[in-house]
Amino acid sequence: MNLSSYSSILGRRMVKCEWNLKFSVSPWLFSSKKSTTSIAASANSSELNGASMSVAGAESSSSIPLCRDSTISGSMEQVMVEYVFGRKKATEVAHYVWKHVVQKGDAVVDATCGNGYDTLALLKLVADKTQRGRVYGMDVQKIALESTSSLLDQFASPDEKELVELFVMSHSQMEDIVPNDVAVRLVAFNLGYLPGGDKKIITRSETTVLALEAAKRILAPGGLISIVTYVGHPGGREEFEKIEEFASTLPVEGWNCCKLHTLNRPLAPMLLFLFKR
């Protein structure tokens, strides 16, 4: 059997991943006026790229429908298959999921702008002719916001750039910049240090937990906290463990939390999604 055939089988059956899922995708993520159905999947293996997904809150008695006619099922399979084969990065998977959460005109937060790639991705999701969308971006380093602004100058239109507000501040202070009457659809974290910058300047577990608490308060029902965290630098493992502890204590009735990582690459980025029901 050639690789193409094997990939096709994998895409249909979603095996070769260590899955333990018994949940459906929220209608806040994927909406349709047509008929719906729920999904339940279970498979176990540790071959190939060693991808693993664990879900907290998956045993909730309430079934959340997935649109039967939606393209999300096949698309998600393709993204996950490419992740399993090492062709997709954690950040790419995150960006894909965002597309099924964020709508035009939404308000979103980039809690760690870095070089601006997440900020730009979020802007493209919220921007439309109504000019109602907003991207609130922050970073503790001025150089990071300068890089973000430069990227926006290259790839965003003047009208789109008007939707972005950038602040030199800690992610733990996000409540200070988001108006009280604004319902936030997504808060994105890409933790660690600034790529190409000073590796001694990193996000810290203490302020990251405070930031997660703030994100939890400003997030609208049906919203998502997206986290990419890294364990290969000093302090990274501790930060990840604190994030995992935070997510594990969120009540099942109100949250669905999952973690995605590669088992045989212990220093690979960890991807976590905290979905608010």
Side-chain angles (χ1 to χ4, degrees), residues 89-99 226 228 271 273:
K89 299 178 181 179
T91 50
E92 293 177 293
V93 176
H95 285 191
Y96 170 81
V97 173
W98 298 354
K99 294 178 181 179
S226 172
V228 179
L271 178 58
F273 294 117

Side-chain angles (χ1 to χ4, degrees), residues 11 40 56 92 95 117 123 162 186 222 228 233:
E92 293 177 293
H95 285 191
Y117 295 104
L123 175 59
E162 290 184 5
L186 186 143
V228 179
H233 63 277

Side-chain angles (χ1 to χ4, degrees), residues 107-122:
V108 297
V109 174
D110 186 351
T112 51
C113 285
N115 287 318
Y117 295 104
D118 288 348
T119 311
L120 178 62
L122 291 169

Side-chain angles (χ1 to χ4, degrees), residues 2-99:
N2 59 36
L3 181 60
S4 176
S5 299
Y6 187 75
S7 175
S8 176
I9 293 173
L10 181 57
R12 291 196 301 270
R13 298 183 60 189
M14 282 309 296
V15 298
K16 300 302 179 184
C17 283
E18 184 181 340
W19 290 71
N20 182 17
L21 309 182
K22 191 178 181 182
F23 73 109
S24 303
V25 184
S26 168
W28 283 88
L29 299 183
F30 320 111
S31 59
S32 173
K33 296 180 181 179
K34 298 184 179 180
S35 59
T36 61
T37 186
S38 61
I39 60 172
S42 179
N44 222 344
S45 179
S46 59
E47 296 180 20
L48 297 177
N49 205 33
S52 170
M53 176 180 278
S54 56
V55 178
E59 295 301 324
S60 173
S61 58
S62 61
S63 177
I64 309 173
L66 172 70
C67 300
R68 179 179 297 160
D69 64 335
S70 172
T71 59
I72 180 63
S73 178
S75 299
M76 179 62 84
E77 287 181 358
Q78 182 62 35
V79 169
M80 290 308 303
V81 166
E82 294 196 20
Y83 178 81
V84 167
F85 283 128
R87 299 172 187 159
K88 289 288 186 186
K89 299 178 181 179
T91 50
E92 293 177 293
V93 176
H95 285 191
Y96 170 81
V97 173
W98 298 354
K99 294 178 181 179

